[in-house]
Amino acid sequence: MVDDLIFDVGFHNGEDTEHYLSKGFRVVAVEANPVLVSQGRQRFAREIADERLIIEDAAVAPENGSIELWVNESNDEWSSIDRSVGSRDGSGRGAVSVSAATGRAHPVEVNAVRFDALLARHGVPYYLKIDIERADFHCLRALDPDHLPRYLSIEAHALEYFCALHELGYREFKCVDQERHNLRPMPLTNETVAGRAARTVAHYTTAAQRELRRRMRLSEGRFPMGGSGPFGEDTPGPWLPLEDAVYDWLHWHRRAKNRGSLNMYSWYDIHVRRADSP
């Protein structure tokens, strides 16, 4: 493991990479969309020249070569090598299941790279962020249980992600609220009337604040909207065993509003910590 290295798999507009660089890490950013790659290389020209940042212009895929990237024309964050994912219309932003492909997307041929090739080229990172619209398993399958990143995060799409991470050897989990990076953590439970009421009030207050900031074209504090947010020990809440994290996630996924501790109005990333981490 390379202690000063982070992989930003799903670079997009570089907001996460900017945060990682500000913390003193070197970054390998992976981005398939050629337009975003070009913009990123202009934005971070100095960091690239200083060898603090490498942008790999490729989609993580099962085989090296080339592949079609379906660029979503409503929101390029949803672009994917899976046509049904890249073409979704975005209804139900926090939903885990992909809606029917009713949105508009166009294909672009891009470079394709196996994730194990990137690991061989750059080394195993201290932290691995994965956000590549349902191609995430291509990264997980390339990891070696004997050489894991200390920390890893991935969008909370499926129960299988928990299982794969546990099989790799991760034993400490968090579900991190992607709506509340800049807000004070609220240790609420859905299993009491008071907890559910407080969460509903907090949701509408948060939504009003977020809309005001959007209209004023201001970012939401330290972490911009859409960013993956903090990582490692900076993430809120305690590290949980698999069973507790899955209990919360399954009730959120099934929209069981009176169970667990996750906010039904939000969407989540899974964060994990290697067992031998401090």
Side-chain angles (χ1 to χ4, degrees), residues 140 143 148 152 154 160-171 173 270-272:
L140 296 185
L143 294 176
L148 292 172
L152 181 152
I154 189 169
E160 287 78 9
Y161 290 178
F162 287 96
C163 299
L165 290 163
H166 190 268
E167 186 174 353
L168 281 167
Y170 288 107
R171 295 293 182 267
F173 295 76
I270 304 165
H271 284 248
V272 293

Side-chain angles (χ1 to χ4, degrees), residues 131-150:
D131 184 355
I132 47 175
E133 303 304 310
R134 311 305 173 93
D136 314 72
F137 254 125
H138 299 315
C139 297
L140 296 185
R141 291 180 180 129
L143 294 176
D144 180 347
D146 294 326
H147 301 281
L148 292 172
R150 179 161 295 160

Side-chain angles (χ1 to χ4, degrees), residues 197-229:
R199 176 150 281 156
T200 300
V201 171
H203 164 68
Y204 286 108
T205 302
T206 302
Q209 291 173 346
R210 188 169 59 250
E211 180 60 22
L212 177 61
R213 288 178 174 131
R214 182 183 292 115
R215 292 185 180 186
M216 295 174 66
R217 299 183 179 179
L218 296 176
S219 67
E220 292 198 345
R222 188 159 59 96
F223 296 105
M225 290 178 59
S228 291

